[in-house]
Amino acid sequence: MSSDVAASYDALPYPAFAFWFTHPNQLAVMATLFGLDPARPQRCRVLEIGCAVGGNLLPMAAAAPHSRFVGVDVSGVQIDLARAVADELGLDNVALVHADLREFDPALGPFDYIIAHGVFSWVGDDVRAALLDLCRDRLAPDGVAYVSYNALPGWHTAGVVRDLMRLHTEPFEDPAAKVEQALAIVEWLAERAERAGEDWRAGFLKAELDNARSLPGTTALHEYLAPDNQAFYLQGFLDLCNAHGLSYLSDAKPWDMWIDNFGSNIAETLGPVPGIIRQAQYLDFVTHRRFRQTLLRRNIDALGRRIDTAVVEGLFVQASIRDEPGLAGIATGAPVKVANPNRAPIEVAGVVPRVALHLLHRGGRRALSFQALFDAVIGELDVLGLGAGRTETPEQRQAVRKELSRGLLRLFFGELVSFCVDPPPLALAVAERPRTGAFQRWQARHGDAVTNLWHEHIPLGDAARAVLARLDGSLDHAALAALHPDPIDETLDALLRGGLLLE
């Protein structure tokens, strides 16, 4: 990895950010669904390649004191910043290593989970090869590697914008000036294309400009102006992985794997395409996909692609939706469209799945075991007067159990619910003396966003910051109310809904 790459991150460190889809809980869920027996997230070994300032790794370490974490980065400045936070918080289960991954200490490992987010596309061929070899050599037998990369065909158009940015910013030395000028030249060209009326470039230039503007300046610099930026078709990426002894397990995000999410016409057309990889490659053309997050495993033996719904019964589940899905028309099992916070609405059909989603939403951010949810669904069916023919005999209840596991699987791939292996110990209600984690208190004291107990990035307002920073369980509501003029009950309720209060 060139000294220029290290220097760029030393000069402008990557912003601290957590990514839920890289968390061992999410990787363990996907591995479990597709036939592996992964390590439990609360007792595992994790390596993050390109850990930057620790924004993704350190909250994992804080939340899993019995697990071991290693972060490696080529930027000494970023590693020093991460070490300072780890030392201040007394995190003794994490090691932060300043090193080129081509010279990674062979004594470290094996690892149950290896995370490489925002690395693969932005390094040279030799470093990419070293990364894949490291994954093959250091993964445990049922281990999972997460690798993200810029994808084709989407980066064909994004690459045009990148080339223009690099051409225009070549004379500038200051990183901030580079970002400012990069945005300015794309805006200039986008305005010219838009004025031309029917110029086909106007749409993609505007979309790329909006994307670049949405990124922090440091991210825009490393994304568009880095010397290395190689995009891959899915099939080409997996051919490379196979050559290094790794094979496809799944996508990191469940939505991307369920073809029905993209509409009936696409599902009907691409459904007959043989093979999950070939089908996904077609879908990337349909969606003009520009970024992928792929989970890999060692080439040991073949995995079946059909999910056994009984596996769901060993997982915990929580609602991912914000709005109450409602029970209108539930007696007939009529399908309803349920809003998805980050995706298109999903149609939910059937009495049992709809009742389950209703109960999960009512339970807030705390996850339920499958058995607890099943018991609650049986009880709710009786309360709603829908138990006849469903809850009266063991055979009927077993049929409900099977319908629940199948329904939850569809809700999971529609990202209306989340599965987990080791759920965080979240509060069901606001306690008299509420508390959050030490890492979250530290984040509230030092910035305007935190990582919640589901490893999600949560922006904070002034009231939430003031209160969260003091939630160590020692202050009651009256004392907390004195910290900010906003109503304390509203602030605490928001923190509860945000997955930030511990039981």
Side-chain angles (χ1 to χ4, degrees), residues 347-378:
E347 185 175 88
V348 181
V351 171
V352 172
R354 288 190 57 190
V355 169
L357 191 59
H358 165 73
L359 292 171
L360 288 167
H361 179 270
R362 195 166 69 186
R365 298 307 308 273
R366 184 162 175 166
L368 292 177
S369 68
F370 179 89
Q371 184 61 47
L373 178 59
F374 170 71
D375 292 342
V377 167
I378 291 295

Side-chain angles (χ1 to χ4, degrees), residues 157 176 459:
T157 48

Side-chain angles (χ1 to χ4, degrees), residues 36-292:
L36 296 184
D37 184 20
R40 297 194 71 90
Q42 282 297 323
R43 292 187 179 273
C44 66
R45 301 157 296 181
V46 179
L47 167 65
E48 183 171 28
I49 299 168
C51 67
V53 298
N56 194 45
L57 191 69
L58 294 181
M60 293 181 190
H66 300 296
S67 294
R68 295 293 303 171
F69 298 83
V70 176
V72 60
D73 201 280
V74 72
S75 165
V77 169
Q78 294 193 132
I79 287 294
D80 287 343
L81 291 170
R83 285 173 178 165
V85 176
D87 290 345
E88 183 177 345
L89 290 168
L91 299 177
D92 59 3
N93 63 336
V94 60
L96 297 154
V97 182
H98 174 212
D100 187 317
L101 68 88
R102 292 171 296 185
E103 302 163 359
F104 191 70
D105 185 353
L108 293 173
F111 296 98
D112 303 300
Y113 304 100
I114 296 178
I115 302 163
H117 183 66
V119 177
F120 196 80
S121 281
W122 298 268
V123 293
D125 289 341
D126 57 336
V127 180
R128 277 192 282 272
L131 189 157
L132 294 178
D133 286 342
L134 190 154
C135 291
R136 177 197 63 214
D137 296 340
R138 308 298 175 85
L139 270 180
D142 280 300
V144 179
Y146 165 101
V147 180
S148 66
Y149 48 97
N150 282 336
L152 298 172
W155 254 88
H156 281 309
T157 48
V160 173
V161 172
R162 175 179 181 270
D163 290 345
L164 173 63
M165 287 179 165
R166 284 178 56 79
L167 171 70
H168 182 64
T169 60
E170 188 176 357
F172 299 91
E173 295 292 336
D174 178 63
K178 278 182 172 290
V179 173
E180 181 182 359
Q181 288 298 316
L183 294 175
I185 192 63
V186 178
E187 183 171 14
W188 172 78
L189 186 58
E191 288 177 351
R192 282 184 57 84
E194 190 171 14
R195 285 202 301 270
E198 297 299 321
D199 194 320
W200 63 271
R201 299 172 299 168
F204 87 77
L205 285 169
K206 183 179 184 306
E208 206 59 43
L209 180 63
D210 289 344
N211 180 71
R213 281 173 170 164
S214 72
L215 301 173
T218 51
T219 307
L221 178 76
H222 300 310
E223 170 71 354
Y224 289 98
L225 302 177
D228 291 300
N229 195 323
Q230 178 68 48
F232 298 85
Y233 283 107
L234 173 63
Q235 186 63 66
F237 170 77
L238 292 178
D239 287 345
L240 187 58
C241 292
N242 292 338
H244 287 266
L246 299 165
S247 59
Y248 176 76
L249 174 67
S250 72
D251 286 7
K253 294 181 178 180
W255 174 277
D256 299 325
M257 296 190 68
W258 197 280
I259 197 168
D260 289 346
N261 291 335
F262 298 90
S264 59
N265 178 264
I266 291 173
E268 290 169 5
T269 302
L270 298 184
V273 173
I276 188 172
I277 305 303
R278 190 170 179 83
Q279 191 179 84
Q281 187 64 84
Y282 273 97
L283 192 59
D284 284 358
F285 279 98
V286 172
T287 61
H288 199 61
R289 189 159 180 173
R290 55 173 290 158
F291 190 69
R292 269 197 163 272

Side-chain angles (χ1 to χ4, degrees), residues 10-34:
D10 283 346
L12 210 58
Y14 200 83
F17 210 92
F19 304 95
W20 65 267
F21 41 83
T22 70
H23 194 279
N25 242 326
Q26 177 64 14
L27 307 191
V29 164
M30 300 306 287
T32 299
L33 291 176
F34 287 100

Side-chain angles (χ1 to χ4, degrees), residues 483-496:
L483 299 175
H484 194 276
D486 284 5
I488 188 60
D489 289 345
E490 294 180 9
T491 299
L492 291 173
D493 284 344
L495 295 176
L496 178 71

